[in-house]
Amino acid sequence: MNDKEAKLTKFEVLLNRDHKKILAFAFSLVSDVHQARDIAQEAMITAFKKLEEYDESKDFGKWVRGIVRMKYLEHFRHNREIPMSEEIIELIDSNYARWDAAENDAVSGESLFQVLNECVGKLNDEQRVVMDKFYYQRQKTGEIAKSENLNEATIRKRLERVRFMLKDCIDKNLSAQ
Amino acid sequence: MEKEYNNNITKSGEKPDPALLAVDGLLLEMGRNGTGNDSDFLREVMAAVRKEDNEKHHVFTIFRIVASLAAMLAVVSGVIFMFYGRIPSGTVDDKDKMPCILVCSPGGLIKSGNKEEAIINGMSLKTDDTVHIFKSRSAFVQFSCRASMEVGSGSIIQFNDIHTITDKRQKLSGTGISLKDGVIQADISGLKDGDAFTVATAQGVFMTQKSSFILVETPEVCFVEVNNGSVRFRDENGLLSVINAGQSKVIHGVNTSGLAAGTIDSAEVINEYKNRLTLQSRDIEELLLQLSKKKKADICLREVISKRDVSL
């Protein structure tokens, strides 16, 4: 295998392992899913170009999330939009870093997404329906409110409650492993 | 897909919790692809990465080819240079081909855009520059091999339209000035068909292709005296008159007959302004010689100097 192929293979292995969290991080920053995907893709291409700079003793996901941050800020400045504050981005990143560390330490070898899936299974029916419609079926809160015969504020409250519960569940389960 | 909070502010007006935003991201990704790999995304990224890598390789190869060709060209040029023993002549900077103004004694301002500064000998003139020569000073403008002009003291001129002129072998384009107040003595050697030297005044426009003339413009008087060639004048109503060599014309002025004491006499004004043209041929030659000693002397300038039999 020549150098070029070795580099591509190495990158593919790293990407295979971390691409979902990198995508999730981009989704945490950007409201538009397509935009988030583009930013994540650009960040990964940049990561490949700079692969020689990557310190293998450090976490690949964290390194690429740094590039995602940069692309996100570039994208918003280019479009003259106001990006999220750097403080909030830093705090979001610290959550991902904490989950990465917990994942690596976990004895069970379960991934973050597998843990999340188990936590989703612990939601009650009401919460499950709202979560399903919002995240899986991509419905807006207004549409969900109409179909559930509830007001929009209630739907938003339920979604917030779902997120809180899932966050606590992930933290508990990852640290327990 | 709608996110219920947009960037920093939630619909309720509160700032979002970063931890909840992080969970939100996980849920969005899981909602799209479940817990397994996003193979479409992975495929797209790897394809883009391979394409990027190939393009980089191609660019590098092209760069190597271009660099090799450039090196070969440099070697061949060097050989030709050595064989012929001289460097092919280059062209002077464009700004050195622009008309230049020379002042016999310091005392003038040039306004260029919003900037106003003292005139320095050899300054280039640009379209829309306005020149004000102070009283008791004198100035000379060299447009090209074929056009020059003395500017009398106290005159104000705006250069409306200046085209870069190189030498007589190149296409010559026109020059237009506005004489606001004062006197000029212009020497136009012969422009090509379609080109003209024009002077706009409050009364109308003077045009010539080959002549030497004096033009006086004041609030009270507009006067032209043609020494060689001919000058055409078109007034505001479009009426054309031609002033030939040896002729003069008061375009606008006060009739000298029956004037009350203290009233302005056109002839008096005209003479007073003509007397402001003080540069002798020798003065102009010295100015041109000084200019020619500057590093990038215009080719045209050298021709002008040689015509005046001034040795370089």
Side-chain angles (χ1 to χ4, degrees), chain B residues 52-237:
Chain B
E52 191 71 38
D53 204 42
N54 285 338
E55 275 174 8
K56 194 174 105 183
H57 177 71
H58 287 146
V59 164
F60 186 63
T61 305
I62 290 165
F63 175 74
R64 274 167 57 187
I65 292 169
V66 167
S68 308
L69 284 172
M72 266 172 57
L73 199 62
V75 166
V76 167
S77 300
V79 166
I80 292 170
F81 168 68
M82 278 167 57
F83 186 75
Y84 285 103
R86 66 181 172 91
I87 298 169
S89 60
T91 54
V92 184
D93 267 3
D94 271 349
K95 78 168 165 60
D96 295 303
K97 293 175 196 153
M98 295 301 278
C100 57
I101 184 163
L102 302 113
V103 283
C104 190
S105 44
L109 286 177
I110 184 165
K111 192 171 175 192
S112 199
N114 292 327
K115 208 170 117 184
E116 203 167 39
E117 55 184 327
I119 295 171
I120 300 166
N121 256 336
M123 267 179 130
S124 302
L125 292 167
K126 298 185 298 297
T127 295
D128 293 334
D129 279 354
T130 301
V131 149
H132 179 191
I133 306 301
F134 295 159
K135 287 247 170 85
S136 319
R137 306 291 185 236
S138 45
F140 181 75
V141 177
Q142 186 69 49
F143 291 100
S144 69
C145 308
R146 297 180 171 207
S148 63
M149 179 175 81
E150 183 190 346
V151 181
S153 63
S155 300
I156 302 172
I157 297 178
Q158 184 174 24
F159 295 86
N160 299 331
D161 191 14
I162 292 176
H163 298 271
T164 304
I165 298 163
T166 51
D167 65 21
K168 58 186 176 190
R169 286 180 295 277
Q170 307 236 357
K171 190 174 183 290
L172 198 68
S173 45
T175 300
I177 65 168
S178 287
L179 179 57
K180 306 282 187 191
D181 192 344
V183 58
I184 57 170
Q185 182 164 15
D187 186 358
I188 314 300
S189 303
L191 308 179
K192 287 190 178 175
D193 286 346
D195 292 336
F197 186 90
T198 63
V199 184
T201 64
Q203 316 307 322
V205 180
F206 294 87
M207 293 167 287
T208 184
Q209 286 190 300
K210 183 175 178 156
S211 69
S212 61
F213 64 91
I214 293 172
L215 182 57
V216 174
E217 166 79 355
T218 79
E220 299 86 22
V221 170
C222 180
F223 165 81
V224 65
E225 181 182 290
V226 181
N227 298 316
N228 289 304
S230 67
V231 174
R232 283 171 291 161
F233 174 72
R234 199 177 287 279
D235 69 12
E236 289 166 337
N237 300 318

Side-chain angles (χ1 to χ4, degrees), chain B residues 248-294:
Chain B
S248 61
K249 189 178 173 86
V250 179
I251 306 293
H252 161 72
V254 179
N255 199 319
T256 54
S257 61
L259 286 175
T263 310
I264 292 167
D265 185 313
S266 289
E268 222 175 276
V269 170
I270 290 164
N271 283 332
E272 194 259 304
Y273 271 73
K274 279 171 75 176
N275 288 336
R276 296 183 189 185
L277 295 165
T278 57
L279 285 179
Q280 303 298 314
S281 196
R282 185 72 210 157
D283 298 322
I284 296 169
E285 283 159 14
E286 270 184 37
L287 286 171
L288 291 171
L289 188 60
Q290 279 171 29
L291 186 62
S292 72
K293 287 176 182 171
K294 282 174 71 175

